[in-house]
Amino acid sequence: MLEAEIARLRPLEAEVAKLRREAYGAKAQAKAATNVANAAVAAKGPPGPPPPPPVFVSIKSGLLVETEDKAFAFKIGGRLFVDGGGTAGSPGNGWQGSVGFGQARLEVEGRYRPWFYKMQFDFANSTIQLWNTNLPNANTLTGPAFWTRNYVTDRNFLWGGWRDAYIGLQDPRLSHPLLAEPVYFKIGSQYESFSLEALASSKYRDTIERPLAVDAIAPFRHIGVAAGMIGKDNWTAHLGLYSLSFQDLNARPVNTSSGNAGVLVPAYNGFGTRNANWYQPWGGGAYWEVTGRLTWAPILDEHRLVHVGVAGSYHQPNNATAYSDDRNSAPGNRLGSEANVLGTNFLGTTDLSCGRFPQPVFFGTPTVTFNQYNAAANCIKDIEKVDLEAALSYENFFVQGEWLLANYNRNTYAAAQFAVAQLSQLGVAPSPTQGLYISPGNSNYVASGGYVQGEWWITGEEKAQSYDLKDKNGVTFGQLKIKDPFSKGGWGAWGLVGRWSVLNLNNGPYQGSSMFNNLLVANNAFGLFAPLPGTPAQITNATLLQNVIANSGIYGGYQQNVTAGLNWYPDNGIAFQFNATHVMSLRSPLNWNPQSSYEGGSHPTFLEMRAKVYF
């Protein structure tokens, strides 16, 4: 039996020996091939550089060129918005009907790890006359009766021009276990991270215009430096230091155009005026501000979203005025009543910085120089802004809302000086019964407002799927994910949107009908039983009494709107929108023009349409 087993194993031993010989032969052949290859390499010299990585090119959304490892990318994009609309009811100072280009932009953005950049220019140069900003005339003073009415005819500003223009850094060495991505930095013209709706791109926004309070209070784009973080648990943080903006009324505020100013302006002398303590008449120095935002989404998946956030901003105006920094110094003056193509603006304060005016040379006696130490502005010490935001999405229903506040700390003494100087220019000696001319001296002024907005996507789209934590400006919403694109045989995304919004720029004891009644009393006190004008003496006396009312507070107006809209996104990059905005409540501004009527009973409805293409 043992012999039988040995006989059975002998063929196996032979097979193993054969395999060993074959393996040895293969090894020898491989070694020989290696030697041949090494000899060939030695003959040809050292190996060349590795081939470039594959490049991906797409024209689906603009022109995108990107390497396979995504380390390098370059994209050309743009957008074109065609707007039109009409007013049902009184258009105020706007148009009964109008058409125009809301935006016409080209942009370039890219990535060269760890660097990234973006440049964006808007060619839709919609020219706005400065009289819509309630600011005094710059150069064409024809006497006190002209400039005190706050009309402007000689200067315009353009909404078009540079928008985003920055370079950024996001280095992997700045990673942390709590972060989903490394910390990133940006420098240049960029959005300040403040307000969910302010950061929402107009490409994806589901109302044509932003709410009143957001447009009036949010800082939007400025030149500065910022840092951002994106956490693993759906939280973000953003902080930045900023100064001037391409969207300011005048980007060169200090002594702008003083070379061709009137004789009442101190002579321009290099980098300042002839007397360092004297008045700088053209807009003051550059301001700066610090802005930060924190957000968190405790619930986030494809069908549900809960988002909360808070933002704050500190603004130091230095001696800037509304001649340059009109968005802060004269809040509300750029508002288009949530239908910008129609240009109707019911709200707006006077220049809260006190601004510029023809400087009186003498006061009292010819040997006494009045107001020598009053610099331009200085009536605003600082501004603090706060924003609270929340959003909720459940399947095809979406709701978001915000509340915003801007607190102005003001220098009442500087405001009083400014008022007395204005009176002296009118040739009126100041007295307690005559009031302070268009210069409310409140130590604090608060502008506040908010909105609530709801959406229902009829075709089943879900807003939670477009929630974008990685946007370098801060959390926002991107392109809606269309379920059945029109180009593929579907009907695209159809949605209904509704919004209620409010903005209050009034601080003072007189509101609503009591304001109008007191103005009538002021007229009747001097025998005026009909609206102004009357005789020159009656107009002067009634105006001074009206100023007592006007200067009891700051009255920039109050407006409450409700909007209903329909959106159609047939495909990515194409959209059609319709909004109907009704003015529910209105209290017109008072401070900016003592000769204006108090328009508080107007309830127009603005109809606006937009066709947009973006890539």
Side-chain angles (χ1 to χ4, degrees), residues 158-392:
L158 302 179
W159 289 92
W162 286 106
R163 291 297 183 257
D164 293 333
Y166 60 78
I167 184 172
L169 172 66
Q170 189 171 28
D171 195 296
R173 290 170 290 185
L174 299 176
S175 301
H176 189 275
L178 296 178
L179 298 179
E181 292 190 358
V183 178
Y184 59 88
F185 299 89
K186 297 189 300 177
I187 185 169
S189 177
Q190 58 190 288
Y191 269 102
E192 297 187 25
S193 193
F194 187 101
S195 168
L196 180 63
E197 190 69 2
L199 296 176
S201 172
S202 54
K203 296 187 296 184
Y204 315 124
R205 201 169 57 232
D206 292 314
T207 54
I208 297 176
E209 312 293 357
R210 292 183 173 92
L212 291 167
V214 173
D215 267 343
I217 297 176
F220 292 98
R221 291 181 180 89
H222 284 81
I223 300 173
V225 58
M229 293 180 286
I230 303 171
K232 288 184 176 180
D233 296 322
N234 302 326
W235 62 268
T236 70
H238 202 280
L239 181 67
L241 173 65
Y242 310 92
S243 187
L244 300 178
S245 170
F246 287 121
Q247 294 176 274
D248 284 343
L249 188 62
N250 192 318
R252 300 177 61 193
V254 181
N255 292 306
T256 301
S257 300
S258 59
N260 61 355
V263 295
L264 292 176
V265 178
Y268 181 71
N269 185 22
F271 294 101
T273 53
R274 190 171 294 172
N275 184 341
N277 293 324
W278 193 255
Y279 174 80
Q280 288 184 341
W282 298 103
Y287 57 85
W288 60 267
E289 55 196 28
V290 177
T291 300
R293 180 176 181 234
L294 295 171
T295 71
W296 181 39
I299 299 176
L300 176 60
D301 57 39
E302 288 189 347
H303 309 293
R304 302 177 304 160
L305 166 68
V306 174
H307 162 94
V308 292
V310 59
S313 180
Y314 173 83
H315 179 89
Q316 175 53 248
N318 293 323
N319 59 351
T321 72
Y323 183 66
S324 58
D325 186 24
D326 65 300
R327 291 185 292 174
N328 282 297
S329 296
N333 284 279
R334 293 200 185 189
L335 298 181
S337 295
E338 298 179 354
N340 293 343
V341 70
L342 297 172
T344 301
N345 177 15
F346 290 119
L347 306 180
T349 72
T350 184
D351 185 348
L352 300 181
S353 72
C354 292
R356 54 191 174 82
F357 60 96
Q359 175 66 41
V361 178
F362 298 108
F363 182 78
T365 66
T367 59
V368 178
T369 302
F370 175 73
N371 217 20
Q372 178 173 334
Y373 298 97
N374 182 33
N378 292 333
C379 288
I380 300 177
K381 297 178 181 178
D382 51 62
I383 306 171
E384 296 82 36
K385 297 181 179 181
V386 176
D387 172 71
L388 301 177
E389 61 188 54
L392 173 66

Side-chain angles (χ1 to χ4, degrees), residues 416-436:
Q417 282 190 311
F418 175 63
V420 172
Q422 290 183 94
L423 286 171
S424 68
Q425 280 292 295
L426 287 174
V428 178
S431 70
T433 61
Q434 292 171 330
L436 302 178

